[in-house]
Amino acid sequence: FKNTQFQPTTMIESIRGGDMSAFSALIGSLMSPDNATRTTGESMLNELKAQPDILATCLINALRHSEAVEHRSLCAVLIRRVLTRDDELWPKLSPPLKHNVKSELLACLHQEPERSITRKVCDSVSEIAVEIFDEVKGEVMKSTNAESENDAVVQHTVQTFLKENQGWPELLPFIFQCVQTGNPSHAESAFLVFDQLARYCMDMLIQYLGTIHGALSAGLANPSLDVKICAFSATTTFIGFLESAAEREKFQSLVPSLLGVLSEALNAGDEIAANTAVENLIEVADEHPRFLRKQIHDVAGAMIKIAEAESLDDATRRLAAEFLVTLCEARDKAPGMMRKLPQLVQQLFNCCVAFLLEIDDDPSWHTADDEKDEDAGETELYEFGQECLDRISMSIGGKSMLPVAGQAFSALMADGDWKKRHAALVGLAQIAEGCERVMKQEPVLSELVAMCVKGTSDPHAKVRWAACQGLGQLCTDLCPDLQESHHEPILGALIGLMEDFSNPRVQAHSCAAVVNFAEGCDQDIMGPYLDALITKLLALIRNGRKNVQEGALTAMASIADASGDYFIKYYDECVPLLREILEKASDRSYHMMRAKTLECISLVGMAVGKEKFGPDAAGIMQIMQNVQTAGLDPDDPFASYMLQAAARICTALGQDFVPYLPIVMPPMLQAAGAKPDFKVADADDEGAGNDEDDTETFFVAGKRVSLHTSALDEKATACSMLCCFAYELKEGFCQHVEEVKNIMIPLLKFYFNEEVRIAAAQTLPELLKSYVEGASKGMGPTEDMCRNLAIELWPQLVDSLKSEVDPNVVHVMLQSVQEMIDVAKGPMLMPVDLMGPVFDAFQVVLKDYEERRDMRMERTEGEDFDAEEEEALMEEHEAESELLDALGNSLTSILKLYGDAALQFVEALLPNFSTFLGPARYVEERRVALILMDDVIQYSPAGAAKYANQVLPQLLQGSADQDPGVRQSCVYGLGRTAEHRQGDFKPHAQNAVNIVLAIINDSDARSEENILATENAVGALGKFLEFHPECVDPAAGTLFVQNLPLMEDDEEARVVHPQLVRLVSSNDMRILGQSNANLPKIMEVLVKILGQGEKLISAEDTPAAVALVKQLNGVVPGVFERSMSGMKPKQQEAIMAAMQ
């Protein structure tokens, strides 16, 4: 701009006067490599935005008439940015200019010679069309007072407006005309625009299905492959955005043409075009898999050929396999469809196994000591093959997958090529989770273990490594069955591999497999192997390579966690070595080892307990403080490991940990309160946030938000650890309640990570408990402080429950609701009027539950629904049942603590729960509804008076139900009705007694399946004996005693056992038996009860039981001693402690 004629002010005036040479200079300045010139140009452009008509006119004129290709190209981009995307000036243009812009853009598509420019103009046309469509829709919504754009009236009126030439009447005829002209450039432009219209303006297109079908069909048959690919994309997009299955069905006939275009692209060697086509089909498979059902054989067959074709690029093969895996995963929309193609399942499995063969024996793999080379020799195809096998097995299921896999694995393991044996073992590891139920059955389980154990002695190190991988994954996915039945061959093989010092990768991976084994193992199974394991691991820690040492430390940590106090024997040998490493491993290359050592020490401490670990705890905490004070590198894992280690040490020490809180709380609070590290970009910017693997992407308010997952994980860990501190320390945590509360409340709605929300919800009742315990022990908090805290926390938790959409988080929040009520002791800290909002939240929870249930039921109506899909559906239902149980438990606590005051709220939910009693409902739903009525009868006198007569027939009928859970709920209710509504119960008493006696006397009464129902029947019998003696044969008293103690239902036990003490103390002859014949049994029962501590009888009721034992000891001598001799040492200690 050195020439004064082109100074910014002069130029702006010239442009306003219509001088296109001045505007051309402005466009040139925007492309200048000189920053100052470019900045000046951007400033002038921004100034022109204040006069939209002038700017739009100049852009259109330059686009249409500039001789400089680069100027036209930039103008095409600026038209889109200025009019729609960034500045949204389109609504500000005058009507005549809007008409001119639309006309010129369409003319440009006809006349512009440069393909790159026409594609940009297509974007502008599409976005302006969307803008116009939205304007029409907005006006219609305003005129009809509609709240949603999906309102039927809105959609009909919009269509009418568009038919009456409102908006851009020339656009669709132009598109259809372009398809017919025979000019490839015109047709390509038409389909590019149509592709975008299908995404955002379906209401405008839906009226022309026949014409659109013809246009798409013509495009797919066009001689130009470029046109065909554009038509392909437009077709799949249109199908994807059609909401009606019936309307999608009208386009079924285009599927062969789509496959033909894909084949043509591959035959022409244009794999880029072919990949684009497959990506589009993947979107259809994901959104509308049933659209492909009628031609699934042809579509899947074509894709499997592509995936198997070694002559094609790996990227092309991966996309074809991805398409097939996507169809396998479409269980919600097309359940069982792919299982109807067993040959295809086998072909797809074999294809994925072939991908696993794309691996080399890279020398650097064998010597890898860190993450850099640990995957050396693995190709992208190999990694994708692993991923696919996992996803296929999870979606297809074990019954279809394992027969195919088993046959293939046998052949691969017998092959002389190490790659094939390696593929068999890695493949087994990948499918284990999805085939879990089938793999647990014999002889399958033994065969799979034998296959892996055989692999541990393979001559090739990578195969032995893969055998460890297989064993480890089986231990994780098939626990505890695998550990219980095959511990000897598995641990024998893994311990043997620890001797392979010439192959440290195998040694390290054998340690990793031991970790998997230990995590699902009972201490009694682990016990006999501890000597050998600890000896081997200590040798590896002392003499192994760094990666082996790290693996051995993790294995020792897991073994200690599994073996509990059995590890005390090895404490004095292990901990000094661990402490030495912790103190000396300060070099950067040993940071991970130091972190794993801390993890190991903390788990050992938790296993052996305070008495053994306590003397060392202070030194360990001092080391942690010293490391923290010295400062940590940003990538040092010690910081995150320290969070978890501190929580474990806290668990081990209990209240003795309180002095160490000043050391651990600052980093814990900092990590929990840290703001997430995120990047924000436009939602359609697909390249944003994909630069790093350690990211997770969310879409919020039209923006793409990318966060570092490691930071989210650390935040979630810190929140969980704070919850642990509050839970373990109770009153000892009082001084930190306020600062933790201020962090946790906002995190209830931290939608970037469900684990953070779960930890926040779990922490709130623990904070209240800390204050309540502190107040009861005079440690600072007052009752008013407790009340204020409860009143502050409660609405936050309830509001979060109401807005939460993740069922897993809802489940936890419901548990926290119950805990808050219990800790607050209901009205002591929270007045009953605070219950109204939580019942509103319960209504939302039940509504969402029903919607998810309806979606599951819809899957049962699919033509491909089968037994395996039904099994998967039941697994989902079981998870949902836990949510219902949590809701029911919350209602129990509310009724128990508020009684009649809560009845009005409960009654508002009764229609929902009445629905659960319908004949088509799951037994778990019926059980929850029956328990609610049990609670109303037990805890609400007004409710019992109102509903007992309605409920009793259902309880009597349900007591004979085939499902033991329903029987349990009903006999429990009969007992409570007998106690609390004696008059209502009396007419039904004899029937109830007969039902209960039948349950107790059944030959299968004490089976694992029936024991809870039987124990509740025993409890009901006790109620009948006490409150309706005239209806019960006196001999039933002996039956009552003979079925005690109750060992499985702790809650019922703590009710029935004090009743036994009460009846015996009152000399009830039905209980004592003829000539006191039942006294020895009663003494035996009481000893067993006391041996379980507070599990079977509350601390409040224990003194009366002890007094009765002392009294009976003189009446039935020797019985106490005989009963004691049959108890375990810990039970004997509990009895003697109670007796003192």
Side-chain angles (χ1 to χ4, degrees):
F1 302 115
K2 292 180 180 180
N3 191 318
T4 55
Q5 181 182 353
F6 294 105
Q7 288 300 311
T9 304
T10 306
M11 285 183 64
I12 290 292
E13 290 303 320
S14 298
I15 292 170
R16 287 170 177 162
D19 185 348
M20 285 305 296
S21 63
F23 188 75
S24 179
L26 169 58
I27 295 298
S29 72
L30 294 173
M31 296 186 292
S32 172
D34 179 65
N35 287 336
T37 302
R38 196 167 58 252
T39 300
T40 302
E42 290 169 354
S43 177
M44 287 190 290
L45 181 66
N46 289 331
E47 189 173 343
L48 284 172
K49 291 175 184 177
Q51 295 172 294
D53 276 20
I54 292 175
L55 178 57
T57 300
C58 291
L59 287 171
I60 286 293
N61 286 340
L63 171 67
R64 297 290 287 120
H65 305 297
S66 176
E67 295 182 1
V69 172
E70 63 273 17
H71 282 212
R72 299 202 306 276
S73 179
L74 180 56
C75 285
V77 172
L78 289 175
I79 287 171
R80 181 188 184 199
R81 290 181 181 172
V82 169
L83 296 187
T84 59
R85 168 151 301 197
D86 295 339
D87 299 293
E88 299 182 355
L89 297 183
W90 175 259
K92 300 177 182 180
L93 298 185
S94 63
L97 186 58
K98 285 183 177 179
H99 180 77
N100 185 55
V101 168
K102 292 185 291 185
S103 299
E104 290 295 334
L105 287 176
L106 296 185
C108 184
L109 290 181
H110 257 311
Q111 299 166 9
E112 172 59 53
E114 292 292 332
R115 187 183 183 207
S116 63
I117 296 177
T118 58
R119 283 181 167 260
K120 293 170 184 175
V121 174
C122 286
D123 291 336
S124 297
V125 169
S126 303
E127 295 208 10
I128 290 174
V130 172
E131 183 79 22
I132 294 169
F133 181 71
D134 287 344
E135 284 180 357
V136 171
K137 187 177 291 186
E139 288 297 321
V140 171
M141 290 183 64
K142 185 177 180 181
S143 64
T144 57
N145 293 319
E147 295 182 359
S148 170
E149 63 183 37
N150 295 321
D151 186 284
V153 174
V154 171
Q155 293 179 340
H156 175 74
T157 309
V158 167
Q159 291 173 7
T160 302
F161 271 42
L162 293 169
K163 278 184 177 179
E164 294 173 354
N165 292 331
Q166 303 287 330
W168 197 346
E170 304 86 3
L171 180 58
L172 285 180
F174 174 84
I175 290 175
F176 297 140
Q177 180 186 8
C178 284
V179 175
Q180 304 297 331
T181 62
N183 185 317
S185 176
H186 294 172
E188 189 176 346
S189 296
F191 289 120
L192 288 171
V193 173
F194 182 83
D195 192 305
Q196 293 303 308
L197 294 181
R199 298 173 191 272
Y200 304 106
C201 306
M202 186 59 77
D203 287 349
M204 182 169 68
L205 303 177
I206 203 72
Q207 311 164 69
Y208 307 102
L209 290 184
T211 306
I212 290 171
H213 185 286
L216 294 173
S217 180
L220 293 171
N222 194 287
S224 166
L225 181 58
D226 289 336
V227 173
K228 287 178 178 176
I229 293 298
C230 288
F232 193 114
S233 177
T235 302
T236 53
T237 299
F238 186 74
I239 292 167
F241 280 86
L242 272 175
E243 294 184 3
S244 166
E247 289 170 346
R248 289 194 296 273
E249 193 75 12
K250 297 175 182 178
F251 292 82
Q252 276 275 338
S253 59
L254 297 181
V255 173
S257 298
L258 294 173
L259 294 180
V261 172
L262 175 59
S263 177
E264 182 179 341
L266 289 172
N267 290 335
D270 191 347
E271 289 195 46
I272 294 177
N275 290 352
T276 300
V278 177
E279 287 171 350
N280 291 329
L281 281 176
I282 290 172
E283 292 183 13
V284 174
D286 186 39
E287 289 295 324
H288 305 298
R290 294 181 68 172
F291 172 78
L292 301 167
R293 186 179 184 277
K294 290 183 179 180
Q295 290 148 317
I296 191 65
H297 286 276
D298 293 337
V299 176
M303 290 298 178
I304 198 70
K305 287 180 180 178
I306 296 171
E308 292 173 338
E310 296 182 8
S311 60
L312 295 176
D313 290 344
D314 288 354
T316 305
R317 299 175 67 191
R318 287 200 305 270
L319 279 172
E322 176 65 32
F323 172 84
L324 295 168
V325 175
T326 300
L327 281 180
C328 291
E329 292 178 326
R331 301 179 70 167
D332 289 347
K333 299 171 182 176
M337 182 173 74
M338 294 298 279
R339 277 195 295 272
K340 294 295 189 291
L341 306 171
Q343 185 176 0
L344 177 76
V345 172
Q346 181 167 1
Q347 286 177 302
L348 181 56
F349 175 82
N350 291 339
C351 179
C352 293
V353 170
F355 290 170
L356 296 184
L357 301 179
E358 299 296 324
I359 185 172
D360 298 317
D361 190 8
D362 191 315
S364 62
W365 180 90
H366 295 269
T367 57
D369 213 16
D370 52 35
E371 295 180 359
K372 179 182 176 182
D373 293 318
E374 66 178 12
D375 297 330
E378 297 178 5
T379 63
E380 289 187 22
L381 210 54
Y382 169 85
E383 294 173 358
F384 184 70
Q386 284 186 292
E387 176 192 331
C388 287
L389 285 173
D390 176 42
R391 293 165 60 191
I392 296 167
S393 67
M394 292 294 292
S395 53
I396 292 294
K399 291 180 181 177
S400 298
M401 189 74 166
L402 197 58
V404 171
Q407 185 177 359
F409 289 157
S410 298
L412 290 167
M413 287 298 292
D415 200 284
D417 185 349
W418 72 267
K419 292 184 179 182
K420 293 184 178 179
R421 302 194 301 278
H422 180 272
L425 293 163
V426 170
L428 172 62
Q430 294 305 115
I431 69 170
E433 184 179 4
C435 301
E436 168 198 345
R437 293 191 181 217
V438 182
M439 284 185 174
K440 283 183 176 179
Q441 300 172 10
E442 291 291 359
V444 174
L445 185 58
S446 294
E447 292 170 355
L448 295 177
V449 171
M451 170 181 156
C452 291
V453 169
K454 178 183 177 182
T456 62
S457 59
D458 194 276
H460 200 287
K462 286 183 78 76
V463 177
R464 297 198 297 278
W465 179 95
C468 294
Q469 179 80 356
L471 284 173
Q473 200 62 50
L474 290 179
C475 288
T476 295
D477 294 325
L478 310 184
C479 73
D481 305 53
L482 182 70
Q483 285 87 333
E484 291 171 358
S485 58
H486 292 81
H487 49 85
E488 184 174 357
I490 292 174
L491 286 179
L494 294 176
I495 290 171
L497 289 178
M498 292 180 186
E499 294 281 356
D500 193 358
F501 280 92
S502 59
N503 291 283
R505 289 296 301 274
V506 175
Q507 283 182 304
H509 217 45
S510 67
C511 292
V514 167
V515 171
N516 298 125
F517 182 93
E519 287 175 346
C521 185
D522 180 82
Q523 69 174 151
D524 290 327
I525 292 175
M526 184 67 75
Y529 301 96
L530 287 177
D531 284 352
L533 281 167
I534 300 303
T535 299
K536 296 291 184 185
L537 292 174
L538 285 172
L540 295 181
I541 293 171
R542 291 187 176 108
N543 305 311
R545 288 172 59 98
K546 182 161 67 73
N547 62 325
V548 177
Q549 291 173 310
E550 292 172 0
L553 287 165
T554 305
M556 182 177 288
S558 297
I559 290 169
D561 192 34
S563 56
D565 55 3
Y566 290 3
F567 201 86
I568 292 175
K569 174 182 177 182
Y570 310 97
Y571 183 89
D572 292 336
E573 185 177 8
C574 294
V575 170
L577 174 62
L578 298 176
R579 183 164 177 170
E580 181 182 1
I581 297 171
L582 192 61
E583 290 174 330
K584 294 182 178 180
S586 57
D587 184 79
R588 183 182 180 85
S589 61
Y590 287 95
H591 280 177
M592 180 55 76
M593 186 185 299
R594 182 173 66 175
K596 287 183 175 291
T597 302
L598 178 61
E599 174 186 55
C600 186
I601 289 177
S602 64
L603 280 164
V604 167
M606 195 165 67
V608 302
K610 178 169 65 175
E611 184 175 344
K612 186 68 177 176
F613 179 62
D616 289 309
I620 302 302
M621 293 303 300
Q622 186 61 54
I623 294 172
M624 289 168 61
Q625 184 177 23
N626 292 343
V627 172
Q628 187 177 320
T629 302
L632 295 169
D633 294 335
D635 59 346
D636 192 334
F638 192 86
S640 59
Y641 275 69
M642 186 175 71
L643 300 181
Q644 299 181 59
R648 297 189 196 102
I649 295 172
C650 174
T651 301
L653 299 184
Q655 291 296 323
D656 290 352
F657 186 80
V658 172
Y660 303 118
L661 284 175
I663 299 175
V664 299
M665 284 300 290
M668 203 77 74
L669 292 170
Q670 182 179 0
K675 301 297 182 185
D677 179 17
F678 60 86
K679 297 178 181 178
V680 180
D682 289 334
D684 58 356
D685 184 359
E686 297 182 0
N690 294 335
D691 298 331
E692 303 173 51
D693 293 333
D694 178 31
T695 58
E696 189 169 355
T697 301
F698 306 85
F699 293 92
V700 181
K703 297 293 183 181
R704 177 188 291 264
V705 182
S706 300
L707 295 94
H708 284 286
T709 52
S710 58
L712 290 177
D713 292 342
E714 186 169 330
K715 185 180 185 74
T717 299
C719 291
S720 297
M721 299 307 100
L722 288 171
C723 181
C724 175
F725 288 163
Y727 172 79
E728 295 290 345
L729 300 179
K730 297 181 175 63
E731 68 274 12
F733 199 69
C734 284
Q735 59 184 319
H736 298 287
V737 165
E738 280 295 313
E739 56 189 346
V740 173
K741 173 203 70 178
N742 292 334
I743 290 175
M744 292 298 178
I745 286 177
L747 295 182
L748 290 168
K749 295 185 178 181
F750 187 78
Y751 294 116
F752 297 121
N753 186 284
E754 65 274 10
E755 295 300 324
V756 171
R757 301 200 302 282
I758 286 173
Q762 290 173 327
T763 302
L764 296 195
E766 300 304 331
L767 297 179
L768 181 60
K769 189 183 299 181
S770 177
Y771 258 25
V772 169
E773 293 285 336
S776 69
K777 297 177 181 178
M779 297 182 63
T782 63
E783 184 174 332
D784 283 343
M785 291 173 64
C786 295
R787 183 175 295 105
N788 291 338
L789 181 63
I791 292 172
E792 181 182 3
L793 296 179
W794 178 253
Q796 301 290 342
L797 177 60
V798 169
D799 183 58
S800 300
L801 171 63
K802 194 172 183 179
S803 61
E804 181 57 60
V805 295
D806 187 326
N808 295 325
V809 183
V810 170
H811 180 201
V812 173
M813 287 183 169
L814 286 169
Q815 292 175 322
S816 293
V817 163
Q818 181 198 1
E819 290 177 32
M820 284 281 288
I821 295 167
D822 290 343
V823 173
K825 296 182 180 177
M828 286 188 64
L829 296 182
M830 295 194 301
V832 71
D833 59 331
L834 289 181
M835 294 300 106
V838 82
F839 277 83
D840 292 339
F842 290 163
Q843 290 279 11
V844 173
V845 169
L846 288 168
K847 175 178 174 291
D848 292 345
Y849 170 84
E850 289 291 348
E851 289 176 356
R852 292 191 299 272
R853 187 186 193 278
D854 289 344
M855 291 174 64
R856 293 197 301 275
M857 292 301 98
E858 284 179 13
R859 285 159 56 188
T860 66
E861 299 171 2
E863 54 268 68
D864 298 311
F865 188 79
D866 56 15
E868 188 146 355
E869 197 61 36
E870 184 175 11
E871 189 175 283
L873 208 64
M874 286 306 300
E875 289 181 11
E876 296 175 31
H877 170 68
E878 288 170 10
E880 289 276 11
S881 298
E882 294 179 4
L883 184 152
L884 280 185
D885 287 338
L887 175 58
N889 292 338
S890 295
L891 292 169
T892 297
S893 289
I894 291 171
L895 281 164
K896 184 176 182 179
L897 290 163
Y898 291 94
D900 285 343
L903 183 61
Q904 58 173 321
F905 302 120
V906 173
E907 285 183 317
L909 293 181
L910 289 183
N912 304 78
F913 282 86
S914 296
T915 303
F916 289 166
L917 294 171
R921 305 299 293 212
Y922 289 110
V923 292
E924 293 83 0
E925 294 169 329
R926 291 163 51 207
R927 176 174 52 77
V928 170
L930 290 165
I931 290 174
L932 176 61
M933 298 315 302
D934 293 346
D935 292 335
V936 169
I937 290 172
Q938 181 172 0
Y939 299 120
S940 172
K946 189 172 182 179
Y947 296 107
N949 283 322
Q950 301 175 41
V951 173
L952 265 170
Q954 296 190 55
L955 295 179
L956 290 165
Q957 181 182 359
S959 295
D961 196 274
Q962 291 185 345
D963 181 75
V966 173
R967 292 202 304 275
Q968 176 190 353
S969 305
C970 289
V971 294
Y972 176 90
L974 290 176
R976 270 49 186 181
T977 309
E979 177 180 2
H980 296 285
R981 297 299 300 175
Q982 297 179 25
D984 294 323
F985 180 78
K986 197 171 187 63
H988 305 279
Q990 196 58 57
N991 188 15
V993 170
N994 293 337
I995 290 172
V996 164
L997 291 177
I999 292 174
I1000 297 172
N1001 290 320
D1002 188 272
S1003 59
D1004 200 28
R1006 305 201 74 80
S1007 68
E1008 182 179 356
E1009 182 182 22
N1010 293 321
I1011 185 62
L1012 290 176
T1014 301
E1015 291 196 343
N1016 278 264
V1018 173
L1021 179 59
K1023 298 292 185 185
F1024 301 164
L1025 286 165
E1026 185 168 3
F1027 298 104
H1028 297 271
E1030 73 283 358
C1031 299
V1032 190
D1033 188 320
T1038 296
L1039 181 66
F1040 176 69
V1041 172
Q1042 288 173 343
N1043 279 277
L1044 298 178
L1046 306 185
M1047 300 295 290
E1048 300 300 326
D1049 191 331
D1050 299 349
E1051 183 177 345
E1052 188 69 357
R1054 287 192 290 270
V1055 173
V1056 173
H1057 296 154
Q1059 182 190 28
L1060 172 68
V1061 173
R1062 191 167 63 248
L1063 293 172
V1064 173
S1065 299
S1066 65
N1067 292 316
D1068 190 316
M1069 295 308 299
R1070 298 168 303 167
I1071 305 300
L1072 298 178
Q1074 188 174 3
S1075 302
N1076 293 332
N1078 293 339
L1079 285 183
K1081 172 63 176 177
I1082 291 170
M1083 172 66 95
E1084 179 185 330
V1085 168
L1086 292 172
V1087 170
K1088 288 182 178 179
I1089 292 169
L1090 294 175
Q1092 297 294 322
E1094 294 185 24
K1095 180 175 184 286
L1096 302 182
I1097 191 167
S1098 68
E1100 181 182 351
D1101 292 319
T1102 297
V1106 170
L1108 183 58
V1109 168
K1110 291 180 178 179
Q1111 179 184 347
L1112 293 178
N1113 199 26
V1115 180
V1116 283
V1119 177
F1120 177 81
E1121 288 75 13
R1122 284 199 304 275
S1123 300
M1124 283 284 285
S1125 65
M1127 310 291 281
K1128 294 181 180 179
K1130 288 184 178 180
Q1131 294 171 335
Q1132 293 175 349
E1133 292 173 10
I1135 294 169
M1136 296 312 298
M1139 296 295 287
Q1140 292 174 2

